[in-house]
Amino acid sequence: MLALAGWYLASVEGHFTVDTASSFFVLAVGLKWLETRRSRDFYVLFFILVYLAAVNFLFQQAIGWTVINFAGVLLLLFGLQVLNAPNLSARGLAGGRRLGLMLLKTLPVVVLLFVFFPRMSPLWTVPMVSGQSRTGISDTMTPGQISDLAQSSERAFRVSFGGAIPPHRELYWRGLILDQFDGETWNQRQAEPFQVPAPVALDDGAEILKPGDYSVLLEPTNQRWAFSLKPSIALSGNIAPAGQDLFRFARPADTAVRYRLSRVAAQLSSAPTLTASERRRYLQLPAGSNPRATQFARRLAQQTGQPVGFIKAVLTRFRQQPYVYTLRPPPMPTDSVDALLFDVKRGFCAHYASAMAFLLRSAGIPARIVIGYQGGSPGLDNRYLIVRQYDAHAWVEAWIAGQGWARVDPTAAISPERIESGLQEAVADEGSFLENNWTSPERYGDVAVIRWVALQLDRINYQWQRWVVGYQGQSQLDLLSRISGHLSLRELGYVTAGLMAAALLAAGLFSAWRQRGHWQQDPWRRLFDKGLHVIRQAGVEVYPGDTPDVIAERASRRYPEAEKELAGFARIANNHYYGARSAESSPAKRRQDLTRLKNRLVRLRRALRQAGSSRKLSPDR
Amino acid sequence: MKRIWQRWVDRRIPPADRQQLNQRTIFILPTGAGLVFGLLLVIMLVTGINYQNSLIYLLTFLLGALFVAAMHQTHRNLNGLDLILVRAGEGFVGESIPFVLRLGSERDEAVSIQLSGHFSPPGLQSVGAGGACDVTLLAATQYRGPVSMARVRISTRFPFGLLEAWSWMRPRTAGLAYPRPLAPVQSTLTDSEGDHQAESVVGAGFDDADIRPWREGDLSHRVLWKRFARTGAMVIADWAGEQGSPQWLDYAAFPGVDVETRLSFLCHQVIERDQAHQLYGLRLPGIIIEPAQGGVHYRQCLRELARFGAASDESGGAVAFPRPTEARR
């Protein structure tokens, strides 16, 4: 126990994240499990496990996980039921049925609550769900090293478009910009500007997408990058422009986030310009690295002159000379640009983007590397686009005076298939597509059944993410406003409270009605009960099992004045319950009898009251 | 405060040997676990709000709604339960006195019913819909006299143990605790004399005793076993002494002994005489039971001893337990 606690403390190292907290819970469950003796221990275990199920939703929100998680919670409840009814035979079936019935009854209320409960903004800033890095692009690029991102078919994000999905070659999803080269690695000159973490709305509303709009559902990256097409403007409030035509979240995306943009160029008042310091920044090169490439670029620049001519000349060289796009390039440890351009001539996007940017800068043209994703595969029925990790891409932007930043993608010159239809086509001859990833369904994309099943599953999960997991404040307000005009959070609170009160009231009324049901159904029984009540109130004992005659006789002994009424009442009761005719008499006759019984009851009550009061007036009797 | 509450409950639940539980008499509150569960729901809701996690909301709402549903279920578990005191037992002080309670259910099944009160708690009881079951409650006794089951608490925590519904039953009929039998010390002499006499009667009476062969129906202690050992013949001695002079067990026979001890002595003697199948009568101040023999007589004597001194007309009334009495020994 102590060893475990020590191990836990050592592994946490004083950092608090949800990760460490939930691992504490897991540890607690493991230990508690070992010492469940009394029922109290089981309750402690139950509470920890239920909370753990809730915490699990912070990490996993896919529909399959949700189903498993809920099934686990129901099993826990079933366990509690068994704990509380240990002597019940056939408890398995009956208990399950009882629990299922209960669940069925509560389901409408749960759905109502889920739809109407106001989604407040976070009450305070909470720690990250997880401090661990996730699969995804990184903020540095070292062309000499092999990137294993191309071997991952994990989803990066999914996009819904207002209107048709743009052609594959236009889908350059920009994430971040690398502008500093040290001879081996490209990185950001300024690290991401610090920003006070603020809550980020996780959804972008439920309004219908207009043509040109697009909505991105980003998987958690633990980064602040919001991938976007260029040019775009932000529509949802959870992303903000961050310069360089990029967008950023106010807080690393540690859960799935949905944001919305529109492909509209921001209106510029004047032609774009580059300041002197920016110019220096985008021309920076390490001294003395890659001498052959430097020389080549200077010579070519003298020949071509204009930046546009230079770019064309380089792309022509890439296209005409035997450069190969491959996922298995040989290692190029030193002077990687020289090696790529003149010796090896084999590489993937990072190599070519690095070489292109190097050549441009050597020729005096400001240039920068853009990291992001390119393309994406359509989901079922072409309704949305799935962008996966292997769609990660790097390309170059060059500054052309008067025009601004222009995209230059050397990969498009070397391997047009990569840009036109994606990685799988580009490396089809090589057979290196997802070669280390046996379990990925995308690897077997040419088998129609697997492809169809994978797409179906993805669609279900996408809808789940959009409408259930992503049913947050903005979506709620949009949807409910669509139903009933404009709604504020406060009004929503009133609506929720009202609905719940109504549900509770209905349940209460139902059980009360059920309680009274068994005698209300029979008007005879009700009248007899009233009669017995009257007799009891007059002070006459009525025992269970007494026949009407016995009761009447006992009452008449005490109240001889009311004897006639009592006997009459008893006779009707006897006739109804024991008489031979009662079963076959017509409904009209029955109604008549009932009226007679009512009259009898009134007379009986009066007679007993009179008898009782005369008794009081003369107590000596 | 507690007294006011008790009085209110007593007004609501009059003493009766039969009680059907309904919403007037059933109380329901969350248990400790239920309170913790509520706290857990709040924590989960705050987690859901802060992490903007819809699925945590969903889980919280589901558990919350199930909690309310469990409230209805727990209540319904008791609702309509019919409780009847079938038999209030009798026994000696120090023994456990059995009370037989019948649980019947009209419409809904009642699961995991716990009965508690001044008795050793039986296990959880379950009654099927339309069924009934008898539960024997063993009440420990410390004092002589009527033993009332002041309150039987009927509770259930089914299905999840997060809520407890409970009610009380206040049976009207009381059981009876006889005095603890105690061999009289002072009168050892007379007693042994009596025994001796009886024995001498047996010994001497062989001559005038009718000795006849064993017949079916003869009690085993009437067999002359000594003779059986000697001769192997089972014979019965019908001696005249049996029908002879009755013995009076008298309250006044133990001068200087306090009331309870006297009653204990008398109780012992009653048992002794009954076992010896002798005729005996009982003389208590104000009560005389004519000499007789047999089970009915035996019970009557024991009951008079048990009730002696207590206001005799109150015997069936509700006597609070434990009884504040000077009868402590």
Side-chain angles (χ1 to χ4, degrees):
Chain A
M1 183 100 154
L2 270 179
L4 270 172
W7 167 79
Y8 173 76
L9 285 178
S11 61
V12 167
E13 294 168 350
H15 300 300
F16 179 82
T17 60
V18 178
D19 251 356
T20 55
S22 45
S23 58
F24 171 77
F25 276 123
V26 173
L27 204 64
V29 165
L31 291 177
K32 193 72 205 167
W33 199 263
L34 296 177
E35 53 128 35
T36 42
R37 290 189 206 98
R38 291 173 302 142
S39 65
R40 197 175 143 270
D41 296 327
F42 281 103
Y43 278 101
V44 171
L45 194 64
F46 169 75
F47 292 137
I48 298 176
L49 280 171
V50 166
Y51 195 66
L52 208 55
V55 167
N56 194 13
F57 283 134
L58 294 179
F59 297 94
Q60 301 288 351
Q61 301 180 330
I63 193 165
W65 271 102
T66 310
V67 169
I68 292 173
N69 228 359
F70 273 96
V73 170
L74 289 183
L75 265 179
L76 283 177
L77 289 172
F78 183 73
L80 274 195
Q81 202 174 286
V82 173
L83 184 71
N84 279 287
N87 56 346
L88 207 56
S89 61
R91 60 197 172 202
L93 252 175
R97 200 168 51 234
R98 185 179 286 115
L99 192 63
L101 220 69
M102 236 166 126
L103 201 66
L104 219 64
K105 282 179 195 163
T106 57
L107 218 55
V109 178
V110 174
V111 170
L112 278 180
L113 263 175
F114 184 77
V115 173
F116 286 98
F117 188 85
R119 300 296 198 271
M120 290 167 264
S121 51
L123 305 176
W124 61 84
T125 314
V126 285
M128 288 273 288
V129 169
S130 168
Q132 288 170 352
S133 59
R134 291 174 182 269
T135 315
I137 59 176
S138 69
D139 57 355
T140 61
M141 187 182 89
T142 308
Q145 290 170 0
I146 309 283
S147 165
D148 53 1
L149 217 50
Q151 295 296 343
S152 166
S153 64
E154 262 180 58
R155 254 189 330 267
F157 52 88
R158 283 176 283 209
V159 197
S160 288
F161 287 93
I165 299 178
H168 198 277
R169 64 175 175 278
E170 285 178 26
L171 297 171
Y172 280 90
W173 302 101
R174 304 168 82 252
L176 68 157
I177 272 170
L178 306 180
D179 50 11
Q180 192 168 30
F181 189 50
D182 64 357
E184 278 179 31
T185 303
W186 289 87
N187 51 30
Q188 291 173 292
R189 203 169 103 94
Q190 293 169 317
E192 293 281 334
F194 176 78
Q195 199 174 352
V196 181
V200 167
L202 297 182
D203 76 325
D204 64 344
E207 277 179 47
I208 294 160
L209 289 164
K210 289 185 269 298
D213 294 359
Y214 57 101
S215 164
V216 181
L217 173 60
L218 183 72
E219 300 290 325
T221 58
N222 284 355
Q223 301 287 358
R224 293 176 42 224
W225 311 321
F227 297 95
S228 62
L229 298 170
K230 184 185 169 185
S232 284
I233 54 165
L235 288 184
S236 58
N238 51 2
I239 52 171
Q244 300 171 325
D245 294 316
L246 297 173
F247 295 91
R248 290 284 179 270
F249 300 111
R251 171 192 162 87
D254 53 354
T255 49
V257 189
R258 207 144 54 93
Y259 57 91
R260 188 175 287 213
L261 301 126
S262 183
R263 299 174 69 199
V264 179
Q267 294 295 317
L268 289 177
S269 50
S270 57
T273 53
L274 211 59
T275 63
S277 71
E278 280 177 328
R279 201 176 175 80
R280 265 203 308 283
R281 178 175 153 200
Y282 292 122
L283 285 173
Q284 171 271 340
L285 278 179
S289 79
N290 299 302
R292 283 193 288 170
T294 315
Q295 226 169 22
F296 168 76
R298 288 199 182 132
R299 209 169 47 238
L300 194 66
Q302 278 164 8
Q303 288 169 13
T304 54
Q306 285 297 312
V308 179
F310 179 82
I311 293 166
K312 273 185 180 156
V314 175
L315 291 180
T316 309
R317 177 187 164 89
F318 279 142
R319 201 174 293 127
Q320 286 171 351
Q321 297 209 7
Y323 286 100
V324 177
Y325 183 83
T326 175
L327 291 181
R328 303 167 181 159
M332 291 166 265
T334 53
D335 287 345
S336 59
V337 176
D338 277 0
L340 177 77
L341 283 178
F342 306 111
D343 307 331
V344 181
K345 297 191 176 176
R346 296 167 67 81
F348 52 88
C349 58
H351 298 94
Y352 292 113
S354 166
M356 187 80 204
F358 188 89
L359 289 176
L360 285 169
R361 285 189 176 186
S362 301
I365 305 168
R368 60 192 188 189
I369 285 180
V370 187
I371 303 280
Y373 296 88
Q374 202 281 322
S377 50
L380 203 71
D381 304 333
N382 277 336
R383 300 294 287 275
Y384 63 100
L385 196 73
I386 310 168
V387 177
R388 299 180 184 280
Q389 293 299 348
Y390 59 66
D391 291 319
H393 193 52
W395 63 97
V396 179
E397 281 178 350
W399 178 262
I400 294 165
Q403 285 182 33
W405 291 104
R407 186 174 67 223
V408 178
D409 188 358
T411 310
I414 295 154
S415 169
E417 302 85 26
R418 169 69 185 86
I419 305 305
E420 292 291 341
S421 52
L423 184 68
Q424 190 166 11
E425 294 291 313
V427 296
D429 298 337
E430 192 177 69
S432 59
F433 180 67
L434 296 177
E435 60 183 346
N436 301 329
N437 199 342
W438 286 94
T439 52
S440 165
E442 278 68 40
R443 183 189 167 113
Y444 312 103
D446 32 358
V447 183
V449 177
I450 293 178
R451 190 180 154 73
W452 185 83
V453 169
L455 284 180
Q456 280 290 356
L457 285 179
D458 190 85
R459 191 188 60 147
I460 293 169
N461 253 316
Y462 184 47
Q463 297 299 343
W464 173 255
Q465 282 270 354
R466 275 191 72 150
W467 297 112
V468 182
V469 177
Y471 185 72
Q472 297 285 350
Q474 195 57 46
S475 301
Q476 187 181 37
L477 286 183
D478 282 358
L479 268 186
L480 297 182
S481 296
R482 213 180 286 171
I483 297 170
S484 66
H486 186 71
L487 265 179
S488 72
L489 216 56
R490 181 189 295 267
E491 285 163 343
L492 208 54
Y494 294 150
V495 169
T496 314
L499 279 172
M500 285 314 104
L504 283 176
L505 194 68
L509 282 178
F510 177 73
S511 51
W513 172 79
R514 206 167 165 276
Q515 166 73 18
R516 281 154 186 270
H518 74 284
W519 58 265
Q520 268 184 342
Q521 284 159 6
D522 182 4
W524 291 88
R525 174 78 191 273
R526 192 171 52 203
L527 286 174
F528 290 135
D529 279 350
K530 269 187 192 159
L532 285 184
H533 185 69
V534 168
I535 292 172
R536 265 205 204 95
Q537 274 198 324
V540 180
E541 295 275 359
V542 176
Y543 301 106
D546 283 351
T547 62
D549 284 339
V550 170
I551 297 169
E553 202 189 311
R554 193 179 302 131
S556 344
R557 232 178 291 137
R558 182 150 174 192
Y559 299 106
E561 311 86 309
E563 188 179 350
K564 209 178 111 227
E565 297 301 331
L566 284 162
F569 188 77
R571 197 178 58 240
I572 297 184
N574 274 340
N575 279 349
H576 176 71
Y577 281 112
Y578 312 112
R581 288 179 303 120
S582 66
E584 62 230 30
S585 55
S586 67
K589 173 85 171 64
R590 281 164 160 248
R591 227 172 296 131
Q592 217 180 344
D593 283 349
L594 203 62
T595 327
R596 266 178 46 216
L597 182 65
K598 262 180 209 159
N599 296 338
R600 279 270 174 209
L601 183 63
V602 172
R603 293 222 299 272
L604 175 67
R605 188 177 288 151
R606 199 184 301 136
L608 282 177
R609 200 176 296 144
Q610 275 171 3
S613 57
S614 67
R615 197 66 43 93
K616 259 177 216 149
L617 285 174
S618 52
D620 52 338
R621 254 187 76 177
Chain B
M1 187 63 211
K2 196 164 181 188
R3 274 225 319 276
I4 295 172
W5 161 246
Q6 283 301 355
R7 223 179 303 147
W8 185 76
V9 167
D10 285 353
R11 254 208 323 276
R12 255 182 127 67
I13 305 175
D17 282 344
R18 174 176 187 171
Q19 198 191 341
Q20 186 156 31
L21 303 182
N22 57 25
Q23 66 264 56
R24 272 176 58 81
T25 49
I26 297 175
F27 305 87
I28 184 163
L29 275 181
T31 56
L35 291 179
V36 176
F37 185 73
L39 192 69
L40 180 77
L41 285 187
V42 171
I43 293 173
M44 274 169 65
L45 189 63
V46 169
T47 311
I49 290 174
N50 273 353
Y51 280 99
Q52 303 173 64
N53 195 308
S54 283
L55 297 179
I56 297 182
Y57 276 113
L58 192 63
L59 182 63
T60 311
F61 296 154
L62 181 78
L63 289 175
L66 278 178
F67 186 74
V68 176
M71 192 172 81
H72 282 272
Q73 175 127 40
T74 307
H75 185 265
R76 202 164 65 228
N77 205 21
L78 277 194
N79 204 351
L81 193 67
D82 206 5
L83 299 156
I84 303 167
L85 182 67
V86 181
R87 193 164 71 84
E90 297 175 4
F92 296 96
V93 167
E95 285 178 356
S96 293
I97 294 186
F99 285 78
V100 179
L101 205 61
R102 179 165 299 161
L103 309 180
S105 180
E106 259 182 42
R107 281 171 297 148
D108 301 313
E109 64 176 333
V111 181
S112 291
I113 308 291
Q114 173 76 53
L115 299 165
S116 52
H118 297 292
F119 48 83
S120 57
L124 294 173
Q125 305 294 327
S126 292
V127 187
C133 74
D134 283 1
V135 189
T136 305
L137 310 175
L138 294 174
T141 49
Q142 284 175 291
Y143 309 105
R144 174 187 69 87
V147 178
S148 166
M149 304 259 284
R151 279 155 180 264
V152 182
R153 192 171 186 273
I154 306 111
S155 60
T156 182
R157 297 185 166 201
F158 191 79
F160 301 134
L162 302 176
L163 292 141
E164 187 180 58
W166 78 95
S167 184
W168 284 284
M169 183 195 190
R170 303 203 290 146
R172 200 189 268 275
T173 306
L176 204 55
Y178 313 137
R180 188 196 303 271
L182 209 63
V185 187
Q186 286 96 332
S187 63
T188 324
L189 202 83
T190 54
D191 206 47
S192 69
E193 258 181 15
D195 279 358
H196 182 71
Q197 278 172 3
E199 235 162 65
S200 67
V201 168
V202 173
F206 268 135
D207 298 334
D208 41 78
D210 266 350
I211 292 179
R212 54 170 179 78
W214 181 84
R215 284 194 303 258
E216 203 167 344
D218 280 333
L219 296 175
S220 65
H221 56 78
R222 285 193 170 183
V223 176
L224 295 174
W225 291 109
K226 280 180 182 165
R227 184 168 293 210
F228 175 69
R230 264 204 318 273
T231 64
M234 291 239 279
V235 291
I236 302 292
D238 272 341
W239 56 82
E242 197 177 30
Q243 275 84 30
S245 63
Q247 297 200 343
W248 279 99
L249 307 176
D250 198 343
Y251 182 80
F254 310 100
V257 180
D258 75 85
V259 178
E260 292 303 317
T261 319
R262 276 183 206 222
L263 293 173
S264 288
F265 289 164
L266 287 171
C267 182
H268 182 259
Q269 290 182 332
V270 166
I271 298 167
E272 214 175 46
R273 297 298 179 278
D274 183 67
Q275 281 173 354
H277 294 271
Q278 296 170 346
L279 279 173
Y280 59 95
L282 186 63
R283 256 190 226 126
L284 296 171
I287 300 161
I288 292 170
I289 300 175
E290 289 302 323
Q293 206 184 3
V296 177
H297 176 65
Y298 173 68
R299 292 264 157 223
Q300 194 191 358
C301 292
L302 287 179
R303 278 180 192 154
E304 287 306 335
L305 287 175
R307 289 192 188 124
F308 179 73
S312 54
D313 54 334
E314 199 209 335
S315 58
V319 177
F321 188 99
R323 199 157 63 101
T325 170
E326 75 292 342
R328 213 190 178 92
R329 286 197 305 175

